[in-house]
Amino acid sequence: MKRRQFIKIAGITAGLTGLSSSLMGCSSAPSIELIGRDNKQLNQDDIRLKVIAYAMLSPNPHNKQPWRIVMTGPKSFYLYVDMFRLLPATDPYHRQIHLGQGTFLESLSIAAHEFDHDADIQYFPEGMYGPEEIVEKPVAHITLLDSTRKNQSRFFDSLMRRQSIKTPYDNYQLTPKELKYIETLYNYDDFPLTFSSHPDTVHTIRRTLIEAMKIEDQGSDRVHETVSMFRFNDEELLKYQDGFGVVHSGITGIKKIVVEHVLLNRDKVEKDPSDFGKKAIELTEEQANSASSFGWMTSATNTRLDQVKAGRAYCKTHLILTQMGLAMHPMSQVLQEYADMLPLQKRFLEQLNVPKGHTMQMIFRVGHAESTAYTPRRQVQSLLKA
Ligand SMILES: Cc1cc2nc3c(=O)[nH]c(=O)nc-3n(C[C@H](O)[C@H](O)[C@H](O)COP(=O)(O)O)c2cc1C
């Protein structure tokens, strides 16, 4: 499939003449593909660090990696939200940040199995806080129990391969057989998962996701929050080891060098993010219009525990689809809770027949696409704080 791109490259030859030879020689730079997934990071001697390093490969909002770990014993530790890694403009009540705690726990549990342990997870051991507040209390206490089952997880391979693929898809419609297969493996009954390829529904979803991105673009704090997590070049990826960048939109090779060094730069975009916002809308149009299968997950209540478990359910869904060779990508703008978004969100939930009062926790597109570079992860030790 021919990949279209986030940034349309005009005047590529003119741009190239301005490139210095040092930029052209980027091939000697450390591989950005391996930041946070190299052998040293993953082959930790300490089983706690080992499963945490794998858990860090889970999907999480804006690749913020909002996790903090406090060790409590030779095989046990607390998971906290890292209060310095929130997204207050687009996720004002930190719902998505809590989904990102659940994705971490799902991956952790799979990694524990792979390495002959069972992860015993006690949620909110010091009490749960409200869905609109955030308190310095652990989200979970995890104890790694020796497993006698020698139980390799059937999803471990998917855990290593999974990625949120943001390039255009191929308008694929999931077949009844595939839907049945997903249903068989999906084991989070409290978080109903719905898929649709019906043309009317697909049309409604596409239109809404694009409209939602336009609304997001109207808030300068929201755009700046995304810009702050956008990594404009490999140097930024290496330095911050979080976020996502040009290469994760499928732009590679010489075009990537041109985009990173000629067309996009942080100073310019931070001063005036209007072009960046326009590109985000164009990208959303390409993403939405190239998908003909969408999935969404709801919950009847929306406590912090629901959000964490919904994160687990989302991660599991993504792993199942990865195993099936399908690409998947969340498009969350319409679900965000800032005031400007609420009227569109309300209408959307009604159009998709979500029962009144229920929460849509995730919405995503599904299809086929080539894989892109993996997003980076920080070093596992950076999560450890006293
Ligand atoms: C709760 C949640 C919300 C997300 N929302 C979006 C989104 O709106 N748009 C998007 O491109 N990716 C979204 N993602 C995907 C993340 O950007 C992605 O997981 C992160 O950058 C790490 O990359 P990876 O999934 O390829 O490992 C979301 C992920 C989670 C867990």
Side-chain angles (χ1 to χ4, degrees):
M1 184 189 64
K2 183 176 176 299
R3 285 202 198 132
R4 285 177 292 160
Q5 293 157 352
F6 179 12
I7 293 104
K8 296 262 188 284
I9 300 163
I12 191 164
T13 328
L16 276 176
T17 49
L19 277 180
S20 73
S21 55
S22 64
L23 291 182
M24 303 297 278
C26 275
S27 57
S28 61
S31 166
I32 53 146
E33 287 267 13
L34 284 177
I35 309 170
R37 47 176 76 227
D38 57 301
N39 284 340
K40 189 163 163 271
Q41 164 96 342
L42 297 177
N43 289 342
Q44 304 278 340
D45 293 332
D46 183 327
I47 183 67
R48 298 168 303 178
L49 295 181
K50 187 169 181 140
V51 296
I52 291 166
Y54 282 97
M56 290 175 74
L57 302 180
S58 60
N60 68 96
H62 274 3
N63 198 19
K64 263 278 174 188
Q65 304 168 39
W67 311 300
R68 185 164 83 82
I69 298 290
V70 176
M71 297 300 187
T72 55
K75 284 203 176 185
S76 59
F77 50 92
Y78 281 129
L79 168 68
Y80 284 83
V81 170
D82 183 338
M83 300 285 200
F84 295 101
R85 291 185 164 267
L86 306 176
L87 294 163
T90 52
D91 184 30
Y93 301 130
H94 319 296
R95 183 185 59 83
Q96 295 185 71
I97 291 290
H98 283 80
L99 281 152
Q101 308 301 309
T103 59
F104 182 96
L105 291 170
E106 184 69 16
S107 299
L108 186 141
S109 175
I110 289 168
H113 266 150
E114 178 71 16
F115 301 113
D116 302 328
H117 286 79
D118 287 321
D120 180 49
I121 297 174
Q122 205 192 338
Y123 295 103
F124 295 101
E126 292 180 8
M128 184 170 64
Y129 41 91
E132 296 189 359
E133 61 173 353
I134 186 146
V135 176
E136 190 80 47
K137 283 186 180 180
V139 169
H141 186 251
I142 298 109
T143 308
L144 298 173
L145 306 170
D146 288 327
S147 169
T148 46
R149 287 184 283 153
K150 284 282 165 208
N151 193 8
Q152 287 202 324
S153 168
R154 67 185 291 185
F155 290 106
F156 185 72
D157 181 52
S158 303
L159 188 158
M160 297 300 293
R161 288 191 294 115
R162 187 212 58 78
Q163 57 178 181
S164 306
I165 302 187
K166 306 192 183 196
T167 51
Y169 290 179
D170 61 348
N171 282 116
Y172 183 70
Q173 299 193 351
L174 288 167
T175 64
K177 200 172 158 201
E178 285 170 325
L179 291 168
K180 189 81 212 150
Y181 183 75
I182 298 167
E183 196 186 323
T184 317
L185 290 174
Y186 183 75
N187 52 350
Y188 284 93
D189 294 347
D190 289 343
F191 301 90
L193 192 56
T194 311
F195 288 91
S196 180
S197 295
H198 189 287
D200 294 346
T201 310
V202 165
H203 178 72
T204 300
I205 296 175
R206 287 179 180 164
R207 211 185 41 206
T208 305
L209 298 180
I210 295 165
E211 182 59 28
M213 184 51 94
K214 289 182 181 162
I215 293 172
E216 174 143 328
D217 181 51
Q218 284 157 20
S220 104
D221 55 340
R222 304 190 286 261
V223 177
H224 279 287
E225 191 167 87
T226 301
V227 171
S228 75
M229 290 312 290
F230 192 81
R231 302 293 166 240
F232 285 83
N233 49 49
D234 288 1
E235 290 70 30
E236 286 198 352
L237 284 168
L238 281 164
K239 179 173 171 194
Y240 298 109
Q241 307 185 338
D242 61 8
F244 51 90
V246 171
V247 71
H248 307 115
S249 305
I251 300 176
T252 55
I254 198 80
K255 287 180 182 168
K256 170 174 172 289
I257 297 173
V258 175
V259 170
E260 290 182 349
H261 292 91
V262 181
L263 300 181
L264 265 186
N265 85 60
R266 178 171 296 284
D267 286 350
K268 213 158 65 182
V269 172
E270 277 181 352
K271 259 187 225 123
D272 177 9
S274 52
D275 276 350
F276 186 89
K278 265 189 230 135
K279 293 295 175 198
I281 294 168
E282 277 173 32
L283 175 65
T284 305
E285 285 167 350
E286 290 188 346
Q287 292 169 333
N289 292 331
S290 65
S292 293
S293 297
F294 289 90
W296 60 95
M297 176 190 294
T298 59
S299 63
T301 51
N302 188 31
T303 65
R304 286 298 187 208
L305 182 58
D306 293 325
Q307 295 164 4
V308 173
K309 287 190 173 168
R312 289 196 68 158
Y314 170 73
C315 187
K316 179 71 179 285
T317 309
H318 202 158
L319 295 172
I320 296 170
L321 270 76
T322 301
Q323 196 185 61
M324 295 166 71
L326 290 160
M328 179 162 162
H329 169 221
M331 299 178 78
S332 307
Q333 286 67 37
V334 68
L335 308 184
Q336 292 167 353
E337 293 92 343
Y338 49 83
D340 297 353
M341 192 60 78
L342 296 181
L344 180 68
Q345 186 183 111
K346 182 169 179 291
R347 194 167 72 231
F348 185 55
L349 266 57
E350 283 164 8
Q351 285 167 328
L352 292 192
N353 298 318
V354 175
K356 216 174 165 43
H358 289 212
T359 301
M360 190 183 286
Q361 298 287 359
M362 289 298 281
I363 181 154
F364 50 87
R365 66 190 175 117
V366 179
H368 294 111
E370 288 170 40
S371 59
T372 56
Y374 284 100
T375 50
R377 294 296 186 272
R378 292 177 296 143
Q379 292 302 295
V380 64
Q381 283 77 8
S382 70
L383 267 55
L384 307 179
K385 293 183 193 150

